Amino acid sequence: MDAITILDAPRCHLGEGPCYDPRTGIAWWVDILERRLFEALLAGGPVRIHDLPLMASAVVAVDEERHLLAAEDGLYLRTFGDGGLTRFCPLEAEEAGTRSNDGRVHPCGALWISTMGRDAEPGRGAIYHVAGTRVTRLFGGLTIPNAICFAPDGATGYFADTDAGLLKRVALDPRTGLPVGEPATLYDHRGGEGGLDGAVVDAEGRIWCARWGAACLDAYSPEGECLRTLPLPVSRPSCPTFAGPALEHLLVTSAYEGMTTEERAADPEHGRTLVVPVGVRGLLEPAFGLRS
């Protein structure tokens, strides 16, 4: 396979929420803590940096003129032309101590988006289902909700609480993306190196999960077997998404949040954004449906 590419972009304090647009070949991602949005043509060229007035954690496709940003107090539509932001709907807007975190669009067009305490306070996190402007709380009592992704047929959802170390699966109604059963443990990572962070599913249903603190990506089968581990040149990978013309690469964000000076020196590529060849075909992220 080809070598891993390190994009010529500034380091991210807390990189997250990548999104790839196949019509333009542009990848988007955010630095949550520095309130920045990155725009990069993967074929080459300068990376554009857009300052944001709030902390955003995920970029979601909408249409040819706009995308959706999950932010600290709600979901915002952002227009490509002028960068204008309009709040689409609130999300824990009255909770000043929380912010958005991981999220992904279900094949039906509904969004699953998580929240967490700004200082990762135990039990303060939750996962929500957003269909149009209708927001439904699905799961609460989480600390760092992550790894939100879906089986190709939309009948299974996955998520993790990084703090708990358990990757969960739950049966869904594929028409709505709403749970029809209770979550069960798919993979038990307790006691393992690092923590389960962002994840995405490929065309064969394998779950590719960034392992924060362990400098790798893991691929799990839908049955919960760890099939493969890919080493990465960053110690704190945070979230992958499939990218490139054939969707055979993973765009992976990373971070240096919480690292000491010594840890940064030992991890010279800390906070970089990577393009990782994986040799499997991914799925294009669905667009969010503005109407339920």
Side-chain angles (χ1 to χ4, degrees), residues 142-283:
L142 307 171
T143 299
I144 309 175
N146 266 313
I148 294 173
C149 55
F150 306 99
D153 63 3
T156 306
Y158 305 100
F159 67 93
D161 184 340
T162 305
D163 187 62
L166 299 173
L167 179 62
K168 300 279 191 174
R169 68 178 166 196
V170 60
L172 307 178
D173 181 339
R175 299 168 301 173
T176 64
L178 287 166
V180 293
E182 293 299 317
T185 296
L186 178 69
Y187 186 81
D188 189 338
H189 185 67
R190 290 177 297 184
E193 182 183 6
L196 304 171
D197 210 305
V200 68
V201 172
D202 69 23
E204 300 300 319
R206 292 172 289 246
I207 304 124
W208 294 80
C209 186
R211 190 147 37 109
W212 174 280
C216 65
L217 286 166
D218 296 313
Y220 302 101
S221 73
E223 293 73 41
E225 178 186 0
C226 187
L227 303 171
R228 185 177 171 191
T229 296
L230 290 180
L232 298 176
V234 292
S235 66
R236 297 187 176 184
S238 52
C239 191
T241 195
F242 280 98
L247 296 177
E248 293 180 343
H249 291 72
L250 282 171
L251 179 76
V252 183
T253 54
S254 75
Y256 61 84
E257 181 190 21
M259 295 177 73
T260 65
T261 301
E262 292 75 16
E263 287 171 333
R264 291 191 203 183
D267 178 11
E269 304 300 346
H270 60 269
R272 298 294 191 189
T273 303
L274 316 174
V275 179
V276 182
V278 289
V280 301
R281 185 169 179 81
L283 293 169

Side-chain angles (χ1 to χ4, degrees), residues 2 67 72-73 76 105 107 119 146 150 169 179 229 257 265 278-279 286:
D2 298 334
H67 48 204
E72 56 193 273
D73 64 351
Y76 287 78
V105 177
D119 294 318
N146 266 313
F150 306 99
R169 68 178 166 196
T229 296
E257 181 190 21
V278 289

Side-chain angles (χ1 to χ4, degrees), residues 74-160:
L75 305 178
Y76 287 78
L77 287 170
R78 180 182 180 274
T79 55
F80 298 138
D82 61 5
L85 290 173
T86 304
R87 191 161 79 167
F88 178 70
C89 71
L91 183 68
E92 292 191 358
E94 306 305 319
E95 287 282 349
T98 64
R99 62 164 176 84
S100 65
N101 196 46
D102 189 52
R104 206 167 289 279
V105 177
H106 182 268
C108 75
L111 172 69
W112 278 32
I113 184 69
S114 69
T115 60
M116 61 177 284
R118 296 192 185 215
D119 294 318
E121 297 91 339
R124 200 165 182 182
I127 296 175
Y128 295 86
H129 174 281
V130 184
T133 58
R134 188 171 66 252
V135 179
T136 303
R137 192 171 192 261
L138 299 180
F139 310 111
L142 307 171
T143 299
I144 309 175
N146 266 313
I148 294 173
C149 55
F150 306 99
D153 63 3
T156 306
Y158 305 100
F159 67 93

Side-chain angles (χ1 to χ4, degrees), residues 29-106:
W29 67 96
V30 294
D31 184 335
I32 298 176
L33 297 179
E34 300 300 329
R35 303 185 178 194
R36 298 184 295 182
L37 171 69
F38 295 87
E39 175 186 357
L41 186 64
L42 288 191
V47 175
R48 298 182 64 189
I49 303 171
H50 308 274
D51 292 327
L52 298 172
L54 36 68
M55 289 194 297
S57 66
V59 186
V60 175
V62 173
D63 55 34
E64 295 182 358
E65 299 178 350
R66 299 167 294 180
H67 48 204
L68 192 75
L69 300 182
E72 56 193 273
D73 64 351
L75 305 178
Y76 287 78
L77 287 170
R78 180 182 180 274
T79 55
F80 298 138
D82 61 5
L85 290 173
T86 304
R87 191 161 79 167
F88 178 70
C89 71
L91 183 68
E92 292 191 358
E94 306 305 319
E95 287 282 349
T98 64
R99 62 164 176 84
S100 65
N101 196 46
D102 189 52
R104 206 167 289 279
V105 177
H106 182 268

